[in-house]
Amino acid sequence: DHRDLHSFPTRRSSDLKDLPPHQYKCHNEAAKIKMDVWLKFLGWWFSEGCAFDSKSPRVSIRQMSKCPELVKLLEDMPYSSFISKDGQYSIFSRQLYEYFKQFGDKYSKRIPKWIFGLNKRQINIFLRAFEAGDGHINKGITTIGLCNEGLIDDLQALYCITGRVVTKRHSVTNTGFNVYTITVSMEKRKYTELRKHSIRTIPYDGNIWCLAVPPYHNFLIRYNNRVSYTGNSYFQYNYMMSRIRGANNF
């Protein structure tokens, strides 16, 4: 899927009359945002952002040093923005605050499901922005470590959609913090390896079930911190049976 614009509901002027004064001042809204710009902002926000309401509701992205890429992104956003001396790139907007607060904090953020349905180019826009905020790239290999396992799982699935080989691991720091890390291979690598000792023969006598996930019959599997997309075997089975003489007797 490809999307050109992201749309927001906006308040009518009559609605603003009923707001407390401090909320009225945060009438910094936009009806539409170019989707590529919106995806970049989402990538940065999910990696380094927060949303909070202390009289002036805002969304912020924190950086320790000046970031020209982030400055350019805020210029492209259809909102007034503010950059503080301590590295806070902020947009004071109740509209954006109300949207982003649903995702919670750094421990509970999850990537919106609609992003998984975008095309490869637009998913990569989101991922490149996330990497810029919280990723480490060395010789084409990307590493991202977070305290949020759910967000790491979402990122792993998105990378898989774009054709990257990605693995996940869990570790605990000396101070007792859980860290979930994904390692994304170089783009030119198109396969993953399965060692011989990982293959086992297990005696089994019974039914073999097949998941049914219409309409496209593809699904993500995760095993031992590795993921891949696969499809239903039901259709392949029917196709092969249709080509075998006497298959109706099976």
Side-chain angles (χ1 to χ4, degrees):
D1 187 20
H2 172 83
R3 300 188 186 184
D4 294 319
L5 294 170
H6 177 81
S7 300
F8 273 117
T10 57
R11 293 191 182 94
R12 301 185 304 272
S13 298
S14 59
D15 295 332
L16 294 173
K17 297 178 182 178
D18 299 326
L19 292 175
H22 70 271
Q23 291 188 21
Y24 184 86
K25 293 177 182 179
C26 294
H27 181 48
N28 184 14
E29 296 187 346
K32 295 182 183 296
I33 306 174
K34 291 181 179 179
M35 181 56 73
D36 288 2
V37 173
W38 181 234
L39 289 169
K40 287 180 185 178
F41 189 82
L42 287 174
W44 272 99
W45 188 86
F46 274 94
S47 64
E48 297 279 48
C50 61
F52 52 94
D53 186 0
S54 56
K55 292 189 177 180
S56 296
R58 59 173 157 164
V59 295
S60 295
I61 298 169
R62 181 70 181 270
Q63 289 291 284
M64 299 303 294
S65 58
K66 187 174 182 179
C67 179
E69 181 181 348
L70 198 48
V71 173
K72 176 62 168 59
L73 175 59
L74 290 184
E75 291 174 351
D76 292 339
M77 291 281 286
Y79 294 91
S80 300
S81 58
F82 176 77
I83 303 174
S84 64
K85 293 181 180 180
D86 65 349
Q88 291 277 4
Y89 294 74
S90 301
I91 297 177
F92 290 84
S93 168
R94 178 158 294 279
Q95 182 191 54
L96 284 183
Y97 166 76
E98 293 293 340
Y99 177 82
F100 281 105
K101 74 175 185 179
Q102 65 179 302
F103 301 112
D105 58 18
K106 63 182 179 180
Y107 297 103
S108 58
K109 288 179 180 176
R110 298 298 298 267
I111 296 173
K113 295 301 181 183
W114 60 265
I115 291 182
F116 291 80
L118 295 174
N119 60 31
K120 179 179 177 180
R121 184 189 69 82
Q122 290 191 313
I123 290 176
N124 273 325
I125 290 174
F126 174 87
L127 291 174
R128 296 297 88 78
F130 195 103
E131 293 168 359
D134 215 354
H136 174 71
I137 302 176
N138 182 31
K139 297 180 179 181
I141 298 175
T142 303
T143 304
I144 300 173
L146 303 172
C147 61
N148 182 342
E149 185 177 14
L151 185 53
I152 279 290
D153 286 345
D154 289 345
L155 289 169
Q156 188 180 28
L158 280 178
Y159 277 110
C160 187
I161 290 174
T162 64
R164 303 289 290 275
V165 178
V166 52
T167 58
K168 169 188 163 187
R169 69 178 185 275
H170 169 246
S171 60
V172 181
T173 66
N174 293 333
T175 53
F177 286 98
N178 290 299
V179 179
Y180 303 92
T181 305
I182 54 172
T183 302
V184 187
S185 68
M186 295 180 288
E187 289 192 42
K188 65 181 181 181
R189 182 182 175 188
K190 300 300 181 183
Y191 62 90
T192 187
E193 298 176 350
L194 185 64
R195 295 180 175 86
K196 288 184 178 180
H197 69 263
S198 298
I199 302 174
R200 295 176 295 165
T201 301
I202 301 175
Y204 178 79
D205 182 14
N207 293 323
I208 297 177
W209 300 98
C210 178
L211 292 175
V213 283
Y216 303 113
H217 302 280
N218 297 319
F219 53 92
L220 180 76
I221 58 173
R222 189 188 306 275
Y223 181 72
N224 284 346
N225 293 326
R226 294 178 181 267
V227 296
S228 65
Y229 275 89
T230 186
N232 289 145
S233 59
Y234 172 79
F235 295 97
Q236 288 86 346
Y237 173 81
N238 282 346
Y239 175 80
M240 290 187 293
M241 289 298 100
S242 69
R243 296 298 186 271
I244 300 176
R245 183 177 299 176
N248 292 333
N249 295 325
F250 289 146

